[in-house]
């Protein structure tokens, strides 16, 4: 996903500090114990060290399914 951004940065077309990158926390990952892994995955996917804005997709949690609660 982040190939285009990284390509433009490496070719000197743009500097990272000159672009504003926004992503979002998907509703299924809004549980506090899932947020760190979700943002780490987003950063990995985009091949970035940081985001400028990280939005919450919905202001409530979805019920987890297929996962033991014990």
């Amino acid at each position: 996903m982040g190939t285009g951004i990284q390509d433009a940065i490496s070719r000197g077309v743009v500097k990272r500090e000159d672009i504003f990158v926004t992503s979002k926390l998907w509703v299924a990952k809004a549980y506090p114990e899932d947020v760190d892994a979700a943002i780490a995955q987003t950063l990995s996917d985009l091949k970035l060290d940081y985001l400028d804005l990280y939005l919450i997709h919905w202001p409530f949690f979805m019920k987890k399914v297929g996962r033991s609660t014990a």
Side-chain angles (χ1 to χ4, degrees), residues 5-47:
I5 294 171
Q6 285 307 309
D7 182 54
I9 291 171
S10 68
R11 290 187 301 122
V13 174
V14 68
K15 294 178 185 174
R16 171 60 185 97
E17 59 268 18
D18 293 335
I19 59 174
F20 192 90
V21 180
T22 302
S23 190
K24 66 181 175 185
L25 177 65
W26 189 249
V27 65
K29 299 295 183 182
Y31 284 87
E33 66 270 16
D34 297 333
V35 174
D36 288 342
I39 195 167
Q41 184 64 56
T42 297
L43 290 169
S44 175
D45 290 345
L46 294 174
K47 299 173 178 41

Side-chain angles (χ1 to χ4, degrees), residues 43-55:
L43 290 169
S44 175
D45 290 345
L46 294 174
K47 299 173 178 41
L48 295 173
D49 294 328
Y50 67 95
L51 296 170
D52 298 289
L53 179 63
Y54 197 52
L55 301 171

